Amino acid sequence: SERMLYSLQHTYAGTADAIGSRVTPDGQRVRFVLDWKTSAVISPNFALQLAAYAKACEEMDGQPVREGYVVSFDKQAPT
């Protein structure tokens, strides 16, 4: 589910579509930020947005966020 994130240190806020975790092959748990996009193009700015979400999440929770993912959906329905 969506999560409101904010950084008091850097004075910004935003809403990530999801915060999750996965287990690596060596058994470590890794936290990640997920953002859904319906844009026709993947912009380099999306990486900056994910990084900001990750830093805010780390500031709020005190746990590192190691990964970020943008999932792109086409606005057009398949024909």
Side-chain angles (χ1 to χ4, degrees):
S1 66
E2 289 183 338
R3 180 164 176 208
M4 177 69 168
L5 299 168
Y6 58 87
S7 171
L8 295 176
Q9 180 181 1
H10 300 291
T11 63
Y12 66 83
T15 303
D17 289 309
I19 307 294
S21 64
R22 68 179 187 86
V23 177
T24 64
D26 62 354
Q28 293 183 349
R29 184 164 300 276
V30 176
R31 291 180 72 206
F32 61 84
V33 176
L34 186 66
D35 201 34
W36 311 118
K37 296 292 185 191
T38 56
S39 175
V41 272
I42 298 294
S43 168
N45 292 333
F46 295 164
L48 295 173
Q49 182 180 20
L50 286 176
Y53 288 162
K55 290 313 255 180
C57 190
E58 288 176 354
E59 184 180 323
M60 292 172 68
D61 297 345
Q63 299 175 20
V65 175
R66 300 279 186 227
E67 299 174 353
Y69 299 97
V70 172
V71 179
S72 178
F73 294 97
D74 192 345
K75 288 182 183 180
Q76 304 256 337
T79 56

